[in-house]
Amino acid sequence: MTRTPKNVRLSYSALAITLLALPFVLQFGLGRGWVRIIDLALLYSMLALGLNIVVGYAGLLDLGYIAFYAMGAYVYALLNSPQFGLHWPVWVVLPLGAACAGLFGVLLGTPTLRLRGDYLAIVTLGFGEIIRIFLNNLNEPINITNGPQGISLIDPIHIGTFSFSHNHTQWLPGLTGPVQYYYLFLAITLLIMWVALRLQHSRVGRAWAAIREDELAAAASGIALRNYKLLAFAMGATFGGLAGGLFAGFQGFVSPESFNLMESVMILCMIVLGGMGNVFGVVLGALILTAFPEALRMIGQWQLNQFGRVVVDPNNFRMLLFGMALVVMMLLRPAGLWPSRRHHREYAGERS
Amino acid sequence: MVIRATLAMSGVLLAGCSHNNQPANIIRIGSASPLSGPQAHLGQDNANGAQLAVDDINAAGGIILAGKTYRLQLLAEDDQADPKIATTVAQQFADDDVAGVIGHLNSGASIPAARVYDDAGIPQISPSSTAIAYTHLGFKTAWRVMTNDSQQGSALAQYATRNLHAKRIAVVDDRTAYGQGLADEFARAATTNGAQIVDREYTTDHATDFLSILTSIKASAPDVVFFGGMDPQAGPLARQMRQLGLNAQLLGGDGVQTDQFIKLAGQAADGTIASNPGLPLDQMPGGARFKREFTTRFGPIQNYAPYAYDAVYVMANAMQRAQSADPAKYLPMLASTHYQGVTGNISFDRHGDLAQGTVTLYKVINTHWQPLTTLTNTAAH
Amino acid sequence: MDIFLQQLINGLVLGSVYALIALGYTMVYGILGLINFAHGEITMIGAMLALAVITHLTGSALPIPVILLAGLLTAIAGCSALGLLIERIAYRPLRHAPRLAPLITAIGVSIILQNLAMLIWGRQYISFPPLLPQGWIDVAGARLTDVQLIILITSALLMLILDSLVRRTPLGRAMRATAQSPRLAGLMGIDANRIIAVTFVIGSSLAAIGGFLVSAYYGLAHYYMGFLLGLKAFSAAVLGGIGNIRGAMLGGLLLGIIESLGAGYIGPLTHGLFGSNYQDVFAFFVLIAILIIRPAGLLGESTADRA
């Protein structure tokens, strides 16, 4: 297909229609559970996009990224639940959570500027664990986070009297809570994608690429390493915090166990699997890794319908298959499913 | 050939999609618990307990509602003990129009899922979630057939202060919702009963080394060490107490009162006292039979299988009395439950907690749990 | 009872196990510049294999030391084979791939090993048969058990052997050469693939011994145990300076002691504001502080950046 303006417009319209119709198709075809899964996938896309700025653009390996997600989630939860009896409006709480996370991104970034590669990985990992442990223990001497019990009955995301958790099937058949969240999350994901793309092709993006490829050379050519690295941490953390706030409102419950190290590793897997540095690849990775375990779950259900019993319990093999998929994927396409052009060139270059 | 393949494919797809066209004579019940990950053995145990109940009910002729015979079918799903996955599983159960759900294993999963079940109007009976918050969220659909932390914690504290005459108590918890909840309730009740908490230490649910905290505890010379947590930690904890020569009485909750604890603690298990809700299995009318049947089919009971078993019967019992498997119809009937189950006499208070929190204390004597005494208290809070 | 001495002994024993496992991380990193994320799971497989053999032989006519040795040797053989296999399948094809690709295969391999172990040995914790001596000796008011003593001696011996192997033998020289520059080492007639294979065998054997000791010490094994052990050992390797063998030993011992003293003294030090619930925060805090002061770890060379 040639890229005439007409064709481009056509394919964009087709994509837009698909994205708009998707939740309804899923809901009536497979059930609301699947809309919820897509909602989660969109949240993970936001996280993956945020982490991609730190790891994919600036080349800083961050294994504690989930901490920013946790902060956004807890800011939302504390200011919008019976925990303190506060019910602040969403348009205050979400930016506040994102800003808090961004601030901590800078706080984490400042002392670690000198560290590189795997040392940075272990320090960020430690930072992630420290945040989780604090959240898990700050119920004494003053009860702030309610400790391991978590915070429940968090207010859903609402604008005025419109709550995203309530069904509005009287307006439109099938307009359920998960479907409404889908549109909200989709809009924000698209916004973050747009910001990320603009960043990538800006002066800042080129500076990050330079730092990623050769820190010494970048510094020698007059790039202020410190500022650009901090900016990467802050931007990534802000998106993470925003996603966290949305998660708290969507889920209605947060507890520290949702923000463990394995989650950070999962998000890293998403961006590497999808194609580091490429916004579309990263989103693809997030979608696949969120949906994959759920798709396997369906196999059990299918066996039940087909044979009346579960012959091979996919629960036993789900994680095993997931692990194998990671290995095979990396062996076949080490630059990811949808590599960024620059990273792709790097790989091709090293081979020759 | 191509057409046949296409037909077969669409058959597969249709089968995959047929989430709400269940056969007319089948009542579907969901079971949600972690079937993978570190708590998989407990989660599988719950699913097995529920499966046994479903099979027993079906073998006994199913459920007869308004003159029509129904068979039960159990859909066991893996919530990975993860709050996020738990809500997705809950939503899938809601989509599948299950009549009720047995689950989840952990309070951390039961609580977020409760909102989804409440939205869908589906009754949820947890066989093992003990956090007080679970039934106090204000949802009419949340029930449990297990004592809550407060009921068990105060029974344990009562035993520690009155029977063991403990004055100085050290409390350890594993910083999970379960361990911390139970330890806090125990500490509160023990202080009210006049004991002193001389040391409060913490560990995690993945730890195996407790020597450092036990060394600190030994320095404060307690009469009793209370542990809020599960057997994988309690086992090595008991060993290491012995290793350090810390001779205080080890006391724990239902997470400790397991055969696995004895296996892991070895000789050091002897003398440990731990509680479990309900009467001892062999003292219940159907207990011995349950144990025999379960063990033959699935191997040893881990912990909460009998509660999952009872949860299914409580649900079936309410359906029977409502003469309907429609959640809207039988949900009100759950409130008036009076059911004699394997684990005890089950009836609910206004929150959905057990009205009679029966707790039995056991002691390890010659590497076997022997019942000591049974305490009953009504739901606190 | 001397509390401080007791905490020190607790930490030293824990630390020497960390050190054994950390060596595997650091050796592979030194040569390939790769974090072998699956190393923790190799430790777990070692513990599982040893326990399977030991449990099987318990009750037979064989003397106890023979039973234990049979378990240990099986674990070493099994883990070495596994280490070689992992290197061949998951790392070698990716030697020139983007840096994060082998990290992801390593995570994939960990997940595979964990779940295979779950399918083979079940979801239950497995207990160690009561074959080990139960005695203890009094060290100035603190207790040192026989098992602790065995662990200290074994790991000290192994570390001495490894250190002289790397520093004094031709093999060790070849390993160091490959670590510095695989290409130049190749020009000198060193077969890099052979050296890498040897590295994996040694690292995996140490992991197997570490896994065996851990399961004997705590009396249990579980398919999930490798994750946390691996994480701690990896932190220890980084603390000492990853790639540096003596650094891994030092890092392991230090981390064990920091954890132990942290859990014991964080309460009194902060006047009860923080308790042992913050012991990991304390450990990570010390780790971060050390890395900020010495960005390449305690004994690491700060010039070479392999990233």
Side-chain angles (χ1 to χ4, degrees):
Chain A
M1 196 161 84
T2 44
R3 284 174 71 93
T4 62
K6 196 181 159 206
N7 276 342
V8 170
R9 212 178 310 137
L10 251 177
S11 46
Y12 272 124
S13 324
L15 185 68
I17 290 169
T18 313
L19 286 177
L20 285 176
L22 183 69
F24 288 95
V25 175
L26 279 177
Q27 179 160 276
F28 291 119
L30 295 168
R32 240 183 303 171
W34 270 93
V35 183
R36 199 173 257 276
I37 291 164
I38 296 296
D39 291 349
L40 276 178
L42 286 171
L43 282 175
Y44 276 112
S45 299
M46 296 175 206
L47 286 176
L49 285 166
L51 183 63
N52 183 47
I53 292 179
V54 186
V55 184
Y57 288 177
L60 306 164
L61 183 51
D62 183 348
L63 283 182
Y65 186 65
I66 203 72
F68 304 120
Y69 188 52
M71 295 181 90
Y74 266 87
V75 166
Y76 186 101
L78 291 174
L79 300 179
N80 250 317
S81 73
Q83 174 74 0
F84 293 139
L86 297 173
H87 302 277
W88 289 20
V90 170
W91 50 267
V92 175
V93 174
L94 282 177
L96 192 66
C100 269
L103 184 71
F104 266 82
V106 175
L107 282 184
L108 165 71
T110 312
T112 56
L113 283 175
R114 284 172 67 204
L115 299 175
R116 284 195 260 177
D118 307 289
Y119 293 96
L120 183 65
I122 195 82
V123 168
T124 49
L125 184 155
F127 171 77
E129 282 296 286
I130 287 173
I131 295 288
R132 187 187 61 78
I133 294 169
F134 269 103
L135 292 176
N136 203 31
N137 289 296
L138 281 180
N139 57 324
E140 276 168 0
I142 316 160
N143 187 357
I144 301 171
T145 63
N146 209 25
Q149 307 291 336
I151 298 172
S152 42
L153 295 176
I154 301 170
D155 300 342
I157 297 175
H158 52 91
I159 297 168
T161 54
F162 180 89
S163 162
F164 280 86
S165 287
H166 288 159
N167 297 340
H168 290 92
T169 36
Q170 72 276 21
W171 296 356
L172 184 68
L175 193 62
T176 57
V179 171
Q180 295 165 99
Y181 276 113
Y182 167 85
Y183 290 123
L184 177 68
F185 293 173
L186 180 69
I188 296 175
T189 308
L190 289 174
L191 181 74
I192 295 179
M193 281 173 80
W194 181 76
V195 173
L197 275 175
R198 291 299 297 261
L199 273 175
Q200 188 180 358
H201 298 296
S202 71
R203 229 181 117 83
V204 178
R206 285 192 297 274
W208 281 335
I211 295 173
R212 182 185 69 223
E213 252 128 80
D214 192 335
E215 209 174 301
L216 278 178
S221 49
I223 292 173
L225 289 185
R226 195 190 130 79
N227 296 352
Y228 282 106
K229 277 188 177 180
L230 284 183
L231 186 64
F233 270 118
M235 295 289 305
T238 306
F239 290 151
L242 178 63
L246 295 171
F247 171 70
F250 171 65
Q251 183 82 354
F253 173 76
V254 295
S255 66
E257 61 181 327
S258 296
F259 309 106
N260 57 31
L261 173 62
M262 212 43 215
E263 290 285 311
S264 290
V265 171
M266 272 310 231
I267 301 167
L268 187 68
C269 285
M270 286 169 186
I271 66 172
V272 178
L273 200 68
M276 214 166 54
N278 182 7
V279 167
F280 302 100
V282 162
V283 172
L284 182 71
L287 293 178
I288 291 177
L289 282 197
T290 322
F292 175 77
E294 300 305 323
L296 275 180
R297 197 195 289 282
M298 281 180 69
I299 297 173
Q301 186 65 46
W302 173 75
Q303 288 179 39
L304 204 61
N305 285 325
Q306 208 70 0
F307 311 113
R309 69 195 173 91
V310 179
V311 185
V312 181
D313 186 358
N315 283 325
N316 287 336
F317 296 94
R318 196 188 61 228
M319 287 309 284
L320 189 67
L321 286 175
F322 175 62
M324 286 178 175
L326 281 184
V327 174
V328 171
M329 261 302 306
M330 280 300 108
L331 292 180
L332 297 180
R333 291 185 74 96
L337 282 171
W338 193 343
S340 80
R341 285 200 199 112
R342 188 188 293 271
H343 280 270
H344 197 63
R345 273 207 308 274
E346 266 168 43
Y347 179 47
E350 270 194 55
R351 245 214 186 141
S352 55
Chain B
M1 205 41 220
V2 175
I3 293 169
R4 261 179 62 190
T6 319
L7 277 177
M9 277 285 287
S10 46
V12 169
L13 277 175
L14 279 177
C17 302
S18 63
H19 58 274
N20 40 19
N21 53 350
Q22 50 179 292
N25 58 341
I26 292 218
I27 300 171
R28 288 182 167 188
I29 293 180
S31 158
S33 56
L35 302 175
S36 57
Q39 295 179 341
H41 62 291
L42 292 172
Q44 190 66 54
D45 195 47
N46 279 10
N48 290 345
Q51 186 65 52
L52 187 64
V54 163
D55 294 348
D56 280 358
I57 290 171
N58 288 341
I63 301 181
I64 300 164
L65 303 175
K68 201 159 168 255
T69 308
Y70 292 87
R71 293 170 59 76
L72 288 180
Q73 188 185 43
L74 190 77
L75 306 177
E77 288 287 2
D78 180 8
D79 68 15
Q80 298 177 37
D82 179 335
K84 271 195 318 295
I85 312 284
T87 51
T88 307
V89 166
Q91 189 74 64
Q92 280 170 349
F93 280 146
D95 293 341
D96 282 345
D97 287 330
V98 297
V101 173
I102 310 301
H104 297 218
L105 174 80
N106 320 69
S107 302
S110 290
I111 290 171
R115 177 180 268 188
V116 180
Y117 297 128
D118 181 62
D119 278 346
I122 298 172
Q124 168 194 16
I125 305 180
S126 173
S128 50
S129 298
T130 58
I132 295 161
Y134 163 57
T135 49
H136 289 60
L137 297 166
F139 298 143
K140 290 269 162 270
T141 44
W143 311 80
R144 73 176 129 216
V145 290
M146 156 76 53
T147 53
N148 65 26
D149 287 339
S150 163
Q151 292 169 321
Q152 200 179 182
S154 41
L156 279 159
Q158 188 187 326
Y159 188 82
T161 49
R162 303 217 182 123
N163 301 48
L164 298 172
H165 307 291
K167 294 270 175 288
R168 303 170 62 80
I169 300 178
V171 177
V172 182
D173 78 68
D174 66 358
R175 295 322 283 169
T176 63
Y178 163 74
Q180 182 251 346
L182 185 61
D184 276 8
E185 292 299 327
F186 170 83
R188 188 174 304 153
T191 317
T192 314
N193 293 359
Q196 189 195 351
I197 307 299
V198 291
D199 196 4
R200 183 80 201 246
E201 297 289 341
Y202 309 91
T203 181
T204 71
D205 56 338
H206 298 295
T208 46
D209 192 306
F210 311 98
L211 288 167
S212 313
I213 58 171
L214 288 174
T215 303
S216 303
I217 287 175
K218 193 179 174 188
S220 62
D223 311 318
V224 165
V225 174
F226 179 82
F227 178 63
M230 306 295 293
D231 47 13
Q233 278 68 47
L237 182 90
R239 273 177 184 246
Q240 290 164 29
M241 278 174 71
R242 186 83 41 121
Q243 181 184 328
L244 283 174
L246 172 54
N247 295 319
Q249 170 70 50
L250 178 60
L251 186 65
D254 51 308
V256 177
Q257 203 270 313
T258 64
D259 288 341
Q260 176 157 272
F261 166 74
I262 296 178
K263 226 175 68 189
L264 295 176
Q267 290 297 318
D270 266 357
T272 303
I273 297 175
S275 63
N276 218 331
L279 282 168
L281 209 50
D282 355 339
Q283 290 180 21
M284 291 307 303
R289 194 191 54 81
F290 174 83
K291 195 173 179 179
R292 200 172 51 242
E293 260 189 51
F294 188 93
T295 319
T296 341
R297 263 188 73 180
F298 305 109
I301 298 170
Q302 296 297 326
N303 207 342
Y304 308 113
Y307 300 94
Y309 184 87
D310 274 359
V312 174
Y313 269 96
V314 164
M315 201 172 264
N317 177 277
M319 290 175 185
Q320 200 85 61
R321 282 180 292 123
Q323 283 295 301
S324 168
D326 179 359
K329 299 218 174 78
Y330 86 85
L331 178 61
M333 285 297 169
L334 278 171
S336 54
T337 294
H338 283 285
Y339 177 74
Q340 184 66 39
V342 169
T343 60
N345 205 340
I346 297 170
S347 57
F348 299 109
D349 70 358
R350 66 194 168 87
H351 293 295
D353 281 326
L354 286 175
Q356 293 266 302
T358 312
V359 175
T360 304
L361 284 128
Y362 301 78
K363 183 174 192 171
V364 183
I365 299 167
N366 291 325
T367 64
H368 284 287
W369 287 107
Q370 307 286 352
L372 288 174
T373 172
T374 299
L375 304 171
T376 301
N377 56 15
T378 46
H381 286 266
Chain C
M1 182 185 66
D2 194 309
I3 299 174
F4 180 76
L5 193 63
Q6 186 68 58
Q7 296 289 26
L8 207 61
I9 291 176
N10 300 342
L12 212 59
V13 176
L14 187 63
S16 49
V17 179
Y18 287 162
L20 280 187
I21 305 168
L23 282 169
Y25 278 104
T26 228
M27 288 172 69
V28 168
Y29 190 91
I31 291 203
L32 288 178
L34 160 95
I35 302 172
N36 181 10
F37 224 93
H39 192 65
E41 310 308 329
I42 296 181
T43 312
M44 175 273 294
I45 297 281
M48 288 297 204
L49 280 175
L51 256 182
V53 172
I54 291 169
T55 311
H56 185 73
L57 292 180
T58 300
S60 70
L62 293 168
I64 289 175
V66 176
I67 295 178
L68 293 177
L69 201 66
L72 183 61
L73 290 178
T74 314
I76 292 177
C79 287
S80 299
L82 189 64
L84 284 177
L85 188 73
I86 293 173
E87 192 271 325
R88 192 75 192 74
I89 294 176
Y91 299 148
R92 194 179 296 183
L94 291 171
R95 227 173 262 172
H96 302 288
R99 195 168 58 92
L100 281 177
L103 187 71
I104 301 292
T105 52
I107 293 170
V109 169
S110 321
I111 295 174
I112 294 174
L113 289 180
Q114 236 179 56
N115 284 275
L116 273 183
M118 187 187 88
L119 288 175
I120 296 172
W121 287 291
R123 294 164 166 151
Q124 299 262 1
Y125 279 75
I126 303 170
S127 61
F128 200 95
L131 301 174
L132 298 162
Q134 300 286 320
W136 50 275
I137 43 176
D138 188 285
V139 185
R143 280 191 182 196
L144 178 67
T145 64
D146 296 348
V147 178
Q148 287 180 321
L149 194 64
I150 294 172
I151 292 176
L152 285 179
I153 294 174
T154 315
S155 39
L157 269 179
L158 285 170
M159 287 189 249
L160 278 178
I161 294 172
L162 184 73
D163 194 63
S164 46
L165 178 93
V166 172
R167 283 179 195 262
R168 307 238 160 84
T169 62
L171 176 68
R173 205 173 303 128
M175 285 170 79
R176 280 180 288 141
T178 312
Q180 279 191 350
S181 165
R183 212 169 55 85
L184 282 181
L187 291 177
M188 307 302 285
I190 296 170
D191 179 357
N193 279 337
R194 199 180 72 89
I195 294 300
I196 290 168
V198 170
T199 307
F200 269 86
V201 167
I202 296 177
S204 304
S205 303
L206 290 173
I209 299 171
F212 170 83
L213 291 176
V214 167
S215 63
Y217 186 33
Y218 298 121
L220 48 79
H222 187 235
Y223 74 91
Y224 202 70
M225 68 189 271
F227 178 71
L228 203 65
L229 261 179
L231 186 64
K232 292 282 169 70
F234 174 56
S235 309
V238 172
L239 180 64
I242 193 157
N244 185 308
I245 287 179
R246 286 186 177 172
M249 300 176 188
L250 180 68
L253 291 177
L254 265 183
L255 188 66
I257 293 171
I258 290 170
E259 281 191 353
S260 183
L261 293 183
Y265 287 101
I266 194 169
L269 278 179
T270 58
H271 298 285
L273 187 61
F274 297 117
S276 49
N277 39 348
Y278 291 98
Q279 73 177 93
D280 282 346
V281 169
F282 183 72
F284 276 121
F285 189 77
V286 173
L287 178 75
I288 292 173
I290 290 179
L291 285 184
I292 287 169
I293 299 163
R294 286 192 62 86
L298 286 173
L299 301 184
E301 301 118 43
S302 50
T303 47
D305 181 27
R306 297 188 145 269

